[in-house]
Tab-separated table of all heavy atoms in Angstrom:
chain	number	residue	atom	x	y	z
A	1	VAL	N	-23.044	-35.950	-37.431
A	1	VAL	CA	-24.322	-36.168	-36.917
A	1	VAL	C	-24.386	-36.277	-35.438
A	1	VAL	O	-25.337	-35.627	-34.607
A	1	VAL	CB	-25.053	-37.332	-37.578
A	1	VAL	CG1	-26.451	-37.681	-37.013
A	1	VAL	CG2	-25.363	-37.006	-39.038
A	2	ARG	N	-23.613	-37.012	-34.871
A	2	ARG	CA	-23.518	-37.336	-33.374
A	2	ARG	C	-23.259	-35.867	-32.805
A	2	ARG	O	-23.890	-35.631	-31.719
A	2	ARG	CB	-22.434	-38.351	-33.094
A	2	ARG	CG	-22.309	-38.655	-31.615
A	2	ARG	CD	-21.260	-39.625	-31.404
A	2	ARG	NE	-21.347	-40.114	-30.006
A	2	ARG	CZ	-20.674	-39.470	-28.971
A	2	ARG	NH1	-19.997	-38.344	-29.294
A	2	ARG	NH2	-20.732	-39.887	-27.807
A	3	GLN	N	-22.341	-35.068	-33.262
A	3	GLN	CA	-22.174	-33.826	-32.631
A	3	GLN	C	-23.289	-32.904	-32.682
A	3	GLN	O	-23.547	-32.140	-31.772
A	3	GLN	CB	-20.917	-33.106	-33.263
A	3	GLN	CG	-19.533	-33.704	-32.832
A	3	GLN	CD	-19.282	-33.396	-31.492
A	3	GLN	OE1	-19.208	-32.233	-31.061
A	3	GLN	NE2	-19.119	-34.430	-30.665
A	4	MET	N	-24.034	-33.024	-33.852
A	4	MET	CA	-25.228	-32.103	-34.001
A	4	MET	C	-26.258	-32.634	-32.925
A	4	MET	O	-26.956	-31.724	-32.343
A	4	MET	CB	-25.829	-32.286	-35.398
A	4	MET	CG	-25.033	-31.618	-36.393
A	4	MET	SD	-25.828	-31.736	-37.879
A	4	MET	CE	-24.613	-32.632	-38.941
A	5	ILE	N	-26.437	-33.884	-32.625
A	5	ILE	CA	-27.432	-34.449	-31.767
A	5	ILE	C	-27.077	-34.318	-30.246
A	5	ILE	O	-27.662	-33.728	-29.499
A	5	ILE	CB	-27.719	-35.838	-32.139
A	5	ILE	CG1	-28.352	-36.016	-33.333
A	5	ILE	CG2	-28.590	-36.466	-30.966
A	5	ILE	CD1	-28.647	-37.408	-33.921
A	6	VAL	N	-25.747	-34.767	-29.926
A	6	VAL	CA	-25.338	-34.682	-28.678
A	6	VAL	C	-25.006	-33.302	-28.023
A	6	VAL	O	-25.209	-32.903	-27.017
A	6	VAL	CB	-24.267	-35.740	-28.397
A	6	VAL	CG1	-23.539	-35.670	-27.103
A	6	VAL	CG2	-24.704	-37.152	-28.647
A	7	ALA	N	-24.142	-32.583	-28.776
A	7	ALA	CA	-23.566	-31.416	-28.456
A	7	ALA	C	-24.251	-30.160	-29.030
A	7	ALA	O	-23.799	-29.095	-28.767
A	7	ALA	CB	-21.921	-31.393	-28.806
A	8	HIS	N	-25.233	-30.348	-29.805
A	8	HIS	CA	-25.893	-29.232	-30.568
A	8	HIS	C	-24.875	-28.386	-31.371
A	8	HIS	O	-25.038	-27.242	-31.301
A	8	HIS	CB	-26.755	-28.450	-29.573
A	8	HIS	CG	-27.688	-29.308	-28.765
A	8	HIS	ND1	-28.859	-29.775	-29.387
A	8	HIS	CD2	-27.758	-29.702	-27.492
A	8	HIS	CE1	-29.434	-30.519	-28.407
A	8	HIS	NE2	-28.748	-30.460	-27.338
A	9	ASN	N	-23.923	-29.118	-31.956
A	9	ASN	CA	-22.851	-28.442	-32.622
A	9	ASN	C	-23.277	-28.170	-34.256
A	9	ASN	O	-23.226	-29.167	-34.932
A	9	ASN	CB	-21.587	-29.201	-32.592
A	9	ASN	CG	-20.430	-28.692	-33.241
A	9	ASN	OD1	-20.615	-27.664	-34.048
A	9	ASN	ND2	-19.322	-29.228	-33.254
A	10	PHE	N	-23.686	-26.989	-34.443
A	10	PHE	CA	-24.153	-26.682	-35.785
A	10	PHE	C	-23.181	-25.643	-36.490
A	10	PHE	O	-23.560	-24.897	-37.415
A	10	PHE	CB	-25.643	-26.241	-35.836
A	10	PHE	CG	-26.625	-27.283	-35.495
A	10	PHE	CD1	-27.007	-27.495	-34.145
A	10	PHE	CD2	-26.932	-28.162	-36.447
A	10	PHE	CE1	-27.908	-28.454	-33.883
A	10	PHE	CE2	-27.865	-29.314	-36.168
A	10	PHE	CZ	-28.235	-29.405	-34.930
A	11	ALA	N	-21.906	-25.667	-35.981
A	11	ALA	CA	-20.804	-24.860	-36.453
A	11	ALA	C	-20.753	-25.161	-37.987
A	11	ALA	O	-20.919	-26.215	-38.453
A	11	ALA	CB	-19.546	-25.047	-35.766
A	12	PRO	N	-20.318	-24.132	-38.798
A	12	PRO	CA	-20.195	-24.414	-40.286
A	12	PRO	C	-19.444	-25.635	-40.598
A	12	PRO	O	-19.585	-26.326	-41.450
A	12	PRO	CB	-19.606	-23.069	-40.747
A	12	PRO	CG	-20.145	-22.111	-39.737
A	12	PRO	CD	-20.134	-22.803	-38.450
A	13	GLY	N	-18.230	-25.821	-39.950
A	13	GLY	CA	-17.350	-26.849	-40.103
A	13	GLY	C	-17.930	-28.133	-39.694
A	13	GLY	O	-17.249	-29.180	-40.066
A	14	ASN	N	-19.016	-28.236	-39.073
A	14	ASN	CA	-19.580	-29.536	-38.532
A	14	ASN	C	-20.772	-29.809	-39.381
A	14	ASN	O	-21.009	-31.002	-39.620
A	14	ASN	CB	-19.802	-29.501	-37.032
A	14	ASN	CG	-20.206	-30.945	-36.560
A	14	ASN	OD1	-19.438	-31.802	-36.534
A	14	ASN	ND2	-21.463	-31.118	-36.105
A	15	ALA	N	-21.689	-28.779	-39.508
A	15	ALA	CA	-22.972	-29.106	-39.990
A	15	ALA	C	-23.122	-28.479	-41.473
A	15	ALA	O	-24.319	-28.527	-41.929
A	15	ALA	CB	-24.053	-28.537	-39.122
A	16	GLY	N	-22.152	-27.804	-42.022
A	16	GLY	CA	-22.350	-27.150	-43.277
A	16	GLY	C	-21.877	-27.988	-44.497
A	16	GLY	O	-22.197	-29.128	-44.447
A	17	ILE	N	-21.194	-27.384	-45.311
A	17	ILE	CA	-20.826	-27.934	-46.553
A	17	ILE	C	-19.960	-29.253	-46.325
A	17	ILE	O	-20.020	-30.205	-47.099
A	17	ILE	CB	-20.062	-26.977	-47.512
A	17	ILE	CG1	-19.850	-27.617	-48.919
A	17	ILE	CG2	-18.790	-26.375	-46.941
A	17	ILE	CD1	-19.203	-26.759	-50.029
A	18	TYR	N	-19.114	-29.185	-45.317
A	18	TYR	CA	-18.247	-30.350	-45.102
A	18	TYR	C	-19.158	-31.557	-44.652
A	18	TYR	O	-18.725	-32.739	-45.130
A	18	TYR	CB	-17.278	-29.949	-43.836
A	18	TYR	CG	-16.217	-28.903	-44.304
A	18	TYR	CD1	-16.575	-27.689	-43.943
A	18	TYR	CD2	-15.246	-29.333	-44.856
A	18	TYR	CE1	-15.622	-26.706	-44.336
A	18	TYR	CE2	-14.180	-28.409	-45.250
A	18	TYR	CZ	-14.413	-27.078	-45.016
A	18	TYR	OH	-13.535	-26.151	-45.351
A	19	PHE	N	-20.221	-31.431	-43.914
A	19	PHE	CA	-21.000	-32.423	-43.641
A	19	PHE	C	-21.565	-33.128	-44.883
A	19	PHE	O	-21.473	-34.362	-45.138
A	19	PHE	CB	-22.172	-32.097	-42.709
A	19	PHE	CG	-23.271	-33.043	-42.650
A	19	PHE	CD1	-22.980	-34.340	-41.808
A	19	PHE	CD2	-24.547	-32.827	-43.078
A	19	PHE	CE1	-23.951	-35.297	-41.666
A	19	PHE	CE2	-25.505	-33.902	-42.937
A	19	PHE	CZ	-25.220	-35.024	-42.331
A	20	TRP	N	-22.123	-32.335	-45.761
A	20	TRP	CA	-22.686	-32.832	-47.090
A	20	TRP	C	-21.604	-33.368	-47.952
A	20	TRP	O	-21.891	-34.383	-48.636
A	20	TRP	CB	-23.559	-31.642	-47.745
A	20	TRP	CG	-24.689	-31.340	-46.905
A	20	TRP	CD1	-24.888	-30.183	-46.243
A	20	TRP	CD2	-25.901	-32.148	-46.653
A	20	TRP	NE1	-26.042	-30.345	-45.399
A	20	TRP	CE2	-26.665	-31.539	-45.723
A	20	TRP	CE3	-26.218	-33.431	-47.084
A	20	TRP	CZ2	-27.796	-32.107	-45.298
A	20	TRP	CZ3	-27.474	-34.050	-46.568
A	20	TRP	CH2	-28.215	-33.272	-45.764
A	21	PHE	N	-20.491	-32.817	-48.086
A	21	PHE	CA	-19.457	-33.321	-48.825
A	21	PHE	C	-18.977	-34.735	-48.337
A	21	PHE	O	-18.864	-35.605	-49.234
A	21	PHE	CB	-18.089	-32.266	-48.727
A	21	PHE	CG	-16.938	-32.839	-49.474
A	21	PHE	CD1	-16.700	-32.368	-50.741
A	21	PHE	CD2	-15.977	-33.626	-49.066
A	21	PHE	CE1	-15.603	-32.724	-51.501
A	21	PHE	CE2	-14.962	-34.065	-49.643
A	21	PHE	CZ	-14.666	-33.527	-50.935
A	22	ASP	N	-18.868	-34.918	-47.093
A	22	ASP	CA	-18.641	-36.109	-46.455
A	22	ASP	C	-19.587	-37.319	-46.860
A	22	ASP	O	-19.297	-38.499	-46.716
A	22	ASP	CB	-18.501	-36.089	-44.912
A	22	ASP	CG	-17.288	-35.269	-44.517
A	22	ASP	OD1	-16.520	-34.833	-45.329
A	22	ASP	OD2	-17.308	-35.014	-43.196
A	23	ILE	N	-20.747	-37.007	-47.137
A	23	ILE	CA	-21.784	-37.987	-47.669
A	23	ILE	C	-21.834	-38.108	-49.149
A	23	ILE	O	-21.736	-39.161	-49.760
A	23	ILE	CB	-23.238	-37.632	-47.136
A	23	ILE	CG1	-23.197	-37.683	-45.556
A	23	ILE	CG2	-24.204	-38.565	-47.662
A	23	ILE	CD1	-24.351	-37.042	-44.925
A	24	ILE	N	-21.964	-36.839	-49.859
A	24	ILE	CA	-22.202	-36.887	-51.251
A	24	ILE	C	-21.103	-37.570	-52.069
A	24	ILE	O	-21.292	-38.321	-53.008
A	24	ILE	CB	-22.646	-35.573	-51.786
A	24	ILE	CG1	-24.007	-35.160	-51.095
A	24	ILE	CG2	-22.623	-35.492	-53.303
A	24	ILE	CD1	-24.495	-33.684	-51.310
A	25	VAL	N	-19.931	-37.081	-51.766
A	25	VAL	CA	-18.773	-37.396	-52.621
A	25	VAL	C	-18.422	-38.898	-52.505
A	25	VAL	O	-18.285	-39.570	-53.596
A	25	VAL	CB	-17.578	-36.571	-52.275
A	25	VAL	CG1	-16.307	-37.015	-53.131
A	25	VAL	CG2	-17.852	-35.124	-52.707
A	26	PRO	N	-18.415	-39.485	-51.305
A	26	PRO	CA	-18.150	-41.049	-51.411
A	26	PRO	C	-19.236	-41.816	-52.037
A	26	PRO	O	-18.974	-42.707	-52.832
A	26	PRO	CB	-18.068	-41.356	-49.841
A	26	PRO	CG	-17.903	-40.070	-49.150
A	26	PRO	CD	-18.478	-38.864	-49.923
A	27	VAL	N	-20.511	-41.408	-51.861
A	27	VAL	CA	-21.676	-42.041	-52.474
A	27	VAL	C	-21.471	-41.948	-54.042
A	27	VAL	O	-21.686	-42.901	-54.758
A	27	VAL	CB	-22.988	-41.599	-51.974
A	27	VAL	CG1	-24.193	-42.090	-52.954
A	27	VAL	CG2	-23.159	-42.043	-50.559
A	28	ALA	N	-21.195	-40.729	-54.510
A	28	ALA	CA	-21.094	-40.456	-55.964
A	28	ALA	C	-19.808	-41.374	-56.538
A	28	ALA	O	-20.023	-41.926	-57.487
A	28	ALA	CB	-20.842	-39.103	-56.300
A	29	LEU	N	-18.773	-41.396	-55.761
A	29	LEU	CA	-17.551	-42.161	-56.265
A	29	LEU	C	-17.957	-43.654	-56.246
A	29	LEU	O	-17.582	-44.357	-57.345
A	29	LEU	CB	-16.398	-41.925	-55.270
A	29	LEU	CG	-15.599	-40.614	-55.275
A	29	LEU	CD1	-14.680	-40.473	-54.098
A	29	LEU	CD2	-15.023	-40.308	-56.628
A	30	ILE	N	-18.514	-44.111	-55.344
A	30	ILE	CA	-19.045	-45.575	-55.240
A	30	ILE	C	-19.926	-45.821	-56.500
A	30	ILE	O	-19.764	-46.758	-57.227
A	30	ILE	CB	-19.690	-45.889	-54.005
A	30	ILE	CG1	-18.655	-45.809	-52.922
A	30	ILE	CG2	-20.294	-47.266	-54.064
A	30	ILE	CD1	-19.280	-45.919	-51.447
A	31	LEU	N	-20.862	-44.934	-56.736
A	31	LEU	CA	-21.850	-45.216	-57.816
A	31	LEU	C	-21.063	-45.074	-59.218
A	31	LEU	O	-21.363	-45.870	-60.083
A	31	LEU	CB	-22.942	-44.149	-57.845
A	31	LEU	CG	-23.924	-44.343	-56.677
A	31	LEU	CD1	-24.936	-43.180	-56.757
A	31	LEU	CD2	-24.692	-45.761	-56.833
A	32	LEU	N	-20.171	-44.085	-59.353
A	32	LEU	CA	-19.362	-43.980	-60.622
A	32	LEU	C	-18.557	-45.310	-60.760
A	32	LEU	O	-18.480	-45.749	-61.966
A	32	LEU	CB	-18.477	-42.820	-60.460
A	32	LEU	CG	-19.139	-41.436	-60.886
A	32	LEU	CD1	-18.208	-40.296	-60.455
A	32	LEU	CD2	-19.477	-41.319	-62.334
């Protein structure tokens, strides 16, 4: 998020599936 805001970095490895994976999977594991 910081890179998206500060550096306008919307490269696929920064703002794509990896970003969402980094949020969704830990939250899902915690809930499980």
Side-chain angles (χ1 to χ4, degrees):
V1 169
R2 185 174 183 279
Q3 283 293 300
M4 286 182 243
I5 294 169
V6 173
H8 306 288
N9 178 356
F10 292 93
N14 189 64
I17 188 173
Y18 292 93
F19 169 69
W20 294 107
F21 181 93
D22 290 355
I23 296 169
I24 293 168
V25 174
V27 169
L29 289 170
I30 293 165
L31 290 173
L32 279 168

